[in-house]
Amino acid sequence: MVKIADFAVEQWMDKYELTARYNIAETCCASISVDDLRALSEDKETDPLGQLQSTKLTYGSIRGSASLRETLSNLYSAKTPARLPKDNILITAGAIQANFLVLYSLVGPGDHVICHYPTYQQLYSVPASLGAEVSLWKSNEANEWQLDIEELKGLIRPNTKMIIINNPQNPTGAIIPHDTLKSLINIARETSIILFSDEVYRPLFHNISPMDPQFPPSLLSFGYEHTIATGSVSKAYSLAGLRVGWIASRSHSLIEACANSRDYTTISVGQIDDAVASFALAPECIHNLLKRNLELARTNLAILEKFIDSHRWACEWVKPKAGTTAFVRFTKMGKPINDVVFCETLQEKSGVMFVPGSRCFGGGEEFQGYVRIGYVCETEVLEKGLEALRTFMEDEYEDVPSLKKTKSAQ
């Protein structure tokens, strides 16, 4: 029987999110309804649900509708020298299934995998459960959570099968810039290593301009055949309830490998989910939807930054450049607090939900004192949550236990 580590962050969310008064741990942009989508869209004629009123609800298109895959093909093909065919895209039940299928299909015993870290636990726990050796390519907080290409070179082995990155990155909100991505491609090409990029927070780049030479394109845009990217409508597009994600690759054979595995999991994504996702990502809607979420992210990030600046005696961070999450370190007298106790006590007394870094991003001492904050919720929720946190900091924080001083994450 396959043994896999407990999925700490998902178990924490499952335990606490439904009872939180102020959920500022959620990683999705504030969710919207189909009515909200229609209001955002310039297409006032189409009703994605109405179109299905008389449609028989069969399994539908097994690999995803041609409409949805064509829309995604257009998005991935913008400003690239070679178009990504729609047949090189596979629709899945969220990015979490997309990630699992990529790893299950392509990694096994005897393989070596290198994974960007810290990151979503799935990306390193699943390959380990499949019998692969996993090395962590650690980003450096002192350098704004950037990755060191020279360090990567030292991690590569003769049996290195895959390098995994998460861009934009969860939990830090950092990006892997253009030049690092280009260097990564060049290294992988030398021995045909598969590059797997979890891009679920793309394209929510709110603190770097597309005109910046270091603005990170999708990894698929570099044209390297052995590249896979995953995404979904959950994070940047506010539609987690649809459960629509995808796998995209320059290699049709890699897509076929994932499709073969997918046959044993989800036959298809529901027709309703597919239709609403197609409507949301269409040109008539996607730009207004992203504008809404980018404005929300910038507004809320400024609110969070103001709070952190006024509490420098207790917390510090590297300000996120993208995505929906921030990784904030809380200390007392130079020592990290017990972040698990902090999160539990904070929610119990104030109703504010955070995710503890040491429990959910490594499970050891490395991220003691860190919490992940999801700040792209409704602005009112963030404001009220931070006000409750402010009161907690004044009245209760001194009772939160500190821990033996450890080195900051490297």
Side-chain angles (χ1 to χ4, degrees):
M1 181 178 178
V2 172
K3 298 291 184 182
I4 191 167
D6 290 344
F7 203 159
V9 70
E10 295 300 339
Q11 291 181 1
W12 186 275
M13 296 296 289
D14 180 55
K15 183 176 180 179
Y16 290 106
E17 65 182 331
L18 294 182
T19 59
R21 191 154 62 247
Y22 308 112
N23 182 354
I24 44 180
E26 180 56 70
T27 57
C28 303
C29 289
S31 298
I32 58 175
S33 67
V34 175
D35 285 344
D36 294 330
L37 270 182
R38 295 189 69 193
L40 286 167
S41 178
E42 296 170 7
D43 177 3
K44 302 303 181 184
E45 302 298 323
T46 302
D47 177 359
L49 295 181
Q51 288 181 328
L52 292 169
Q53 294 292 327
S54 59
T55 300
K56 291 183 178 180
L57 296 179
T58 65
Y59 285 117
S61 300
I62 300 303
R63 297 191 178 206
S65 69
S67 172
L68 179 54
R69 290 184 293 122
E70 188 68 38
T71 296
L72 288 166
S73 170
N74 291 336
L75 292 174
Y76 278 113
S77 299
K79 299 180 181 179
T80 59
R83 181 173 179 80
L84 182 72
K86 73 176 189 301
D87 289 341
N88 283 34
I89 299 171
L90 182 68
I91 305 303
T92 63
I96 195 167
Q97 188 196 41
N99 291 347
F100 186 88
L101 286 175
V102 169
L103 297 168
Y104 181 83
S105 304
L106 303 176
V107 171
D111 291 331
H112 175 239
V113 170
I114 299 170
C115 186
H116 182 182
Y117 181 85
T119 191
Y120 194 50
Q121 183 186 336
Q122 181 191 34
L123 299 179
Y124 52 88
S125 286
V126 170
S129 77
L130 296 170
E133 296 179 88
V134 179
S135 296
L136 301 178
W137 184 19
K138 297 184 178 183
S139 56
N140 186 346
E141 183 181 17
N143 189 29
E144 299 187 332
W145 296 109
Q146 290 304 296
L147 293 164
D148 185 338
I149 285 291
E150 293 304 314
E151 181 182 337
L152 173 67
K153 293 176 182 178
L155 293 174
I156 292 175
R157 305 175 188 174
N159 64 330
T160 299
K161 179 75 172 294
M162 178 182 289
I163 299 171
I164 303 168
I165 60 172
N166 178 202
N167 195 27
Q169 204 262 340
N170 170 20
T172 67
I175 62 166
I176 306 173
H178 179 278
D179 286 355
T180 302
L181 294 176
K182 187 174 181 180
S183 295
L184 176 60
I185 292 283
N186 292 337
I187 290 170
R189 273 198 173 110
E190 293 177 3
T191 52
S192 298
I193 295 171
I194 297 171
L195 295 181
F196 168 26
S197 182
D198 177 343
E199 298 178 351
V200 72
Y201 292 95
R202 182 176 179 82
L204 202 69
F205 297 99
H206 46 71
N207 206 16
I208 181 172
S209 166
M211 303 306 293
D212 190 310
Q214 291 305 319
F215 185 87
S218 170
L219 201 63
L220 294 178
S221 69
F222 290 89
Y224 176 51
E225 182 178 5
H226 303 296
T227 302
I228 298 175
T230 56
S232 83
V233 298
S234 298
K235 309 300 185 183
Y237 300 107
S238 301
L239 296 168
L242 290 185
R243 309 313 304 133
V244 171
W246 54 84
I247 305 168
S249 178
R250 288 288 171 191
S251 167
H252 190 65
S253 64
L254 292 180
I255 289 292
E256 288 304 300
C258 294
N260 289 340
S261 298
R262 185 178 178 282
D263 289 339
Y264 286 95
T265 57
T266 302
I267 293 175
S268 63
V269 170
Q271 289 189 68
I272 294 172
D273 303 86
D274 188 303
V276 177
S278 296
F279 180 82
L281 298 179
E284 294 81 6
C285 187
I286 188 173
H287 303 296
N288 289 338
L289 177 55
L290 280 175
K291 180 182 178 182
R292 178 255 190 191
N293 287 350
L294 285 167
E295 289 176 352
L296 181 64
R298 291 181 181 123
T299 296
N300 288 7
L301 186 60
I303 293 169
L304 179 58
E305 183 176 27
K306 184 176 180 180
F307 177 90
I308 290 174
D309 285 345
S310 66
H311 290 79
R312 287 289 180 181
W313 54 271
C315 57
E316 59 185 351
W317 70 340
V318 175
K319 184 179 176 181
K321 289 185 178 295
T324 66
T325 62
F327 212 32
V328 181
R329 187 171 187 256
F330 284 79
T331 59
K332 288 173 61 177
M333 303 297 290
K335 296 181 180 180
I337 61 165
N338 185 320
D339 50 286
V340 176
V341 172
F342 174 56
C343 290
E344 290 173 339
T345 307
L346 178 64
Q347 182 155 343
E348 178 185 349
K349 293 183 178 292
S350 302
V352 176
M353 182 181 175
F354 290 156
V355 169
S358 67
R359 172 73 63 83
C360 299
F361 293 95
E365 296 183 352
E366 192 168 12
F367 298 119
Q368 287 179 345
Y370 288 82
V371 301
R372 186 185 72 181
I373 300 176
Y375 56 87
V376 196
C377 50
E378 288 86 356
T379 299
E380 182 181 9
V381 172
L382 181 65
E383 289 176 329
K384 289 183 176 180
L386 291 180
E387 187 55 41
L389 175 60
R390 190 185 312 277
T391 300
F392 180 91
M393 299 296 287
E394 293 172 355
D395 300 339
E396 309 280 353
Y397 188 67
E398 65 180 33
D399 296 327
V400 175
S402 57
L403 298 166
K404 181 180 178 181
K405 189 173 183 179
T406 61
K407 294 181 180 180
S408 297
Q410 297 297 315

